[in-house]
């Protein structure tokens, strides 16, 4: 099964946060991200994530002008133990793509895609 859940917490980042993280590399004239976080991938989720990414049939994205494998994101506003507000995100497989993989109707991302779906080859 290609079921997995990746968790992420996105916190507001102040100039003080950037100074603490960057130390002597901090440059007050540069623009730094206003929010930041880390995606945690549990060791047990790695095989399912890799299977999903390499076996889902890619979609063509007009904005990126490239083929993409969609991931679903849901989020909630939370408060940390230190009383700091953050956006908690959960990243999971797209249900339809996951079903295609489970039913064997998806193509591997390692095979050539038909001309009608973009005509490129993935070489992961």
């Amino acid at each position: 099964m290609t079921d997995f859940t990746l968790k992420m917490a996105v916190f507001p980042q102040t100039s003080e946060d950037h100074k603490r993280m960057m130390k002597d590399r901090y440059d007050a004239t540069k623009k730094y991200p206003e929010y930041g976080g880390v995606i945690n991938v549990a060791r047990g989720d790695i095989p399912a994530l890799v299977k999903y990414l390499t076996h889902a049939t890619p979609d063509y994205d007009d904005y990126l002008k490239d083929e993409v494998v969609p991931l679903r994101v849901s989020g909630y506003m939370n408060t940390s133990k230190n009383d700091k507000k953050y956006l908690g995100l959960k990243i999971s497989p797209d249900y339809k793509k996951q079903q295609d993989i489970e039913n064997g109707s998806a193509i591997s991302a390692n095979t050539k895609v038909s001309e009608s779906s973009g005509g490129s080859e993935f070489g992961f």
Side-chain angles (χ1 to χ4, degrees):
M1 181 172 220
T2 58
D3 195 23
F4 58 88
T5 300
L6 312 178
K7 294 190 177 181
M8 178 178 183
V10 178
F11 288 88
Q13 301 291 301
T14 65
S15 59
E16 292 304 315
D17 294 327
H18 292 295
K19 287 176 189 175
R20 188 174 10 85
M21 287 185 291
M22 301 291 290
K23 299 189 185 331
D24 61 340
R25 295 177 294 138
Y26 179 77
D27 182 351
T29 63
K30 288 187 177 179
K31 185 174 180 172
Y32 291 95
E34 296 175 0
Y35 298 90
V38 174
I39 297 175
N40 291 312
V41 181
R43 180 181 295 212
D45 285 339
I46 293 172
L49 174 62
V50 170
K51 180 179 178 182
Y52 175 79
L53 292 173
T54 58
H55 288 82
T57 303
D59 297 326
Y60 186 77
D61 184 283
D62 286 326
Y63 177 75
L64 294 174
K65 304 288 187 229
D66 202 355
E67 291 174 326
V68 299
V69 175
L71 294 166
R72 292 284 159 210
V73 179
S74 58
Y76 301 91
M77 287 304 301
N78 293 312
T79 304
S80 73
K81 293 176 184 174
N82 298 333
D83 210 32
K84 192 173 183 181
K85 294 246 182 230
Y86 71 95
L87 179 61
L89 300 173
K90 184 172 83 171
I91 302 164
S92 56
D94 177 79
Y95 180 77
K96 184 178 180 324
K97 296 291 181 188
Q98 181 181 3
Q99 290 303 112
D100 288 347
I101 292 168
E102 298 304 320
N103 295 332
S105 57
I107 65 161
S108 170
N110 293 316
T111 61
K112 187 164 179 142
V113 180
S114 71
E115 294 300 320
S116 63
S117 62
S120 67
E121 186 172 332
F122 287 84
F124 288 92

